[in-house]
Amino acid sequence: MDSVDKKILLSLFKDGRISQRKIADEVKLSATSLNYRFNKLIEDKIIRSFVLYVNPNFYGKYVGRVSFKNIKDFDSSFVNVKVRCLEETTFYEIEGNSINDLQDKISYMRKELGEYDMIYLSQQNPQKPSGVDIEIVKTLIKNPRMEIGEIAKEINIPSKTIIRRLNVLINKNLIKIIPEIDLSKSDIVVFGIFSSIVNKMEFLKQCEFLRFTDGDRGVVVCAVDNVKVAENYVSQVKMSDHNSKIMIATDYEIRNDNARNELERIEKDAILNSIDN
């Protein structure tokens, strides 16, 4: 791993669908050199895969984010994201049918894991996805970096429509293509910040790749190329809000089984309703 490899990885965190040609332009490499480095990162299992993160709000569910001390490992079908952190905590993103349902699930987790370290339950407006958006997201779940033309051919929707809808879904934080990186091999530092004034921390926009906010309050996830840079950001965060929670990731897992199952259920219900009518 050198500084160029790290720039490639950081470009992928910013935009998991970024083309190799655009990365080559950003890091000042020829297309051939970039292709070699990209494939080498995959061959060395530094890039393990790419995954489509789907916000449960997209398919009509509510989402909660909570962290607990690592008393023991916890797993459940309602956990969509799990991030193990240096601070001996694990961050979970969970889904539910309502805010009350999320609170019940967090209460269940507390019985297993003790008191939570951080909790973020925001005001939410779960969506009712359109048929076009469902087809796009289902296709990207299978292959997050599929070219627009290939998506258009597979689901028989014009490329312009796919580009427009993708931009909407990404800008609304409903989907995000994320590289699954072996952080222990890459030296990349991924860290999350929870703060009641996170939207006022403009400096985080330089490093962030995920942002979930409700007014000024929220969670931002960043990636930087070394520990010293991460320390500088953490110092600025603490100066802005000494009550903020900061979690440095050692490993992370993103699941989209629930999204795929829910989208298939929505489609089946739509077909049944059309038959009934």
Side-chain angles (χ1 to χ4, degrees):
M1 285 290 298
D2 61 15
S3 61
V4 175
D5 287 334
K6 289 184 177 184
K7 287 179 182 177
I8 293 170
L9 295 179
L10 292 176
S11 294
L12 291 169
F13 272 112
K14 287 284 187 182
D15 178 5
R17 287 184 54 79
I18 188 172
S19 68
Q20 289 194 36
R21 180 180 298 177
K22 189 170 182 181
I23 298 175
D25 289 341
E26 288 183 357
V27 301
K28 306 295 189 293
L29 285 179
S30 69
T32 302
S33 295
L34 190 282
N35 186 60
Y36 170 78
R37 283 179 177 266
F38 192 91
N39 289 335
K40 190 74 166 60
L41 288 168
I42 294 172
E43 180 186 321
D44 291 344
K45 297 184 178 178
I46 293 172
I47 299 176
R48 296 187 292 209
S49 65
F50 289 87
V51 63
L52 183 71
Y53 164 77
V54 186
N55 188 324
N57 287 166
F58 172 69
Y59 48 89
K61 298 289 185 178
Y62 287 77
V63 58
R65 299 174 178 97
V66 62
S67 67
F68 290 90
K69 292 295 182 184
N70 292 341
I71 296 172
K72 63 178 181 178
D73 189 46
F74 177 86
D75 209 352
S76 175
S77 61
F78 59 74
V79 174
N80 290 335
V81 177
K82 183 188 287 191
V83 184
R84 295 170 184 83
C85 303
L86 190 64
E87 296 79 9
E88 297 184 347
T89 62
T90 301
F91 170 90
Y92 301 89
E93 181 180 283
I94 65 173
E95 70 171 57
N97 296 317
S98 65
I99 294 294
N100 285 340
D101 186 33
L102 289 174
Q103 290 170 334
D104 289 343
K105 285 171 177 172
I106 291 170
S107 293
Y108 172 72
M109 295 174 77
R110 288 170 65 190
K111 290 177 183 177
E112 297 287 318
L113 301 171
E115 192 55 54
Y116 52 74
D117 190 51
M118 179 280 291
I119 184 170
Y120 177 51
L121 296 175
S122 63
Q123 293 183 359
Q124 300 173 49
N125 294 301
Q127 309 287 303
K128 185 177 180 181
S130 69
V132 170
D133 287 348
I134 288 174
E135 289 303 315
I136 292 171
V137 171
K138 282 175 60 182
T139 302
L140 288 176
I141 285 174
K142 291 187 290 185
N143 182 358
R145 283 180 58 80
M146 184 181 285
E147 297 286 345
I148 295 295
E150 293 178 89
I151 299 172
K153 185 176 180 181
E154 179 156 331
I155 63 179
N156 195 28
I157 292 173
S159 295
K160 287 183 179 179
T161 300
I162 292 170
I163 293 169
R164 179 170 54 82
R165 293 310 305 163
L166 264 180
N167 287 335
V168 169
L169 294 173
I170 291 170
N171 290 336
K172 286 185 174 181
N173 279 332
L174 293 173
I175 65 169
K176 175 80 175 180
I177 294 86
I178 296 177
E180 288 197 322
I181 303 296
D182 187 331
L183 297 175
S184 66
K185 292 180 179 178
S186 70
D187 291 332
I188 293 289
V189 182
V190 173
F191 59 97
I193 301 106
F194 169 72
S195 169
S196 60
I197 58 167
V198 73
N199 257 356
K200 294 182 177 179
M201 300 180 189
E202 292 291 323
F203 56 88
L204 291 176
K205 291 182 178 178
Q206 300 172 58
C207 66
E208 71 178 58
F209 65 92
L210 278 174
R211 174 180 288 261
F212 305 102
T213 56
D214 175 18
D216 288 333
R217 180 171 170 263
V219 175
V220 170
V221 186
C222 290
V224 296
D225 61 358
N226 61 64
V227 172
K228 188 168 183 59
V229 174
E231 287 176 343
N232 288 337
Y233 276 111
V234 169
S235 176
Q236 289 183 75
V237 168
K238 284 298 183 182
M239 285 176 63
S240 301
D241 176 14
H242 67 274
N243 291 318
S244 60
K245 294 286 184 182
I246 298 166
M247 296 157 281
I248 299 173
T250 57
D251 195 17
Y252 58 97
E253 179 184 358
I254 299 167
R255 308 168 183 171
N256 47 38
D257 291 344
N258 286 336
R260 182 174 55 250
N261 292 338
E262 282 296 317
L263 294 177
E264 288 175 354
R265 180 191 62 77
I266 291 168
E267 282 189 318
K268 286 178 183 177
D269 287 349
I271 292 170
L272 290 174
N273 287 336
S274 66
I275 293 172
D276 291 340
N277 293 331

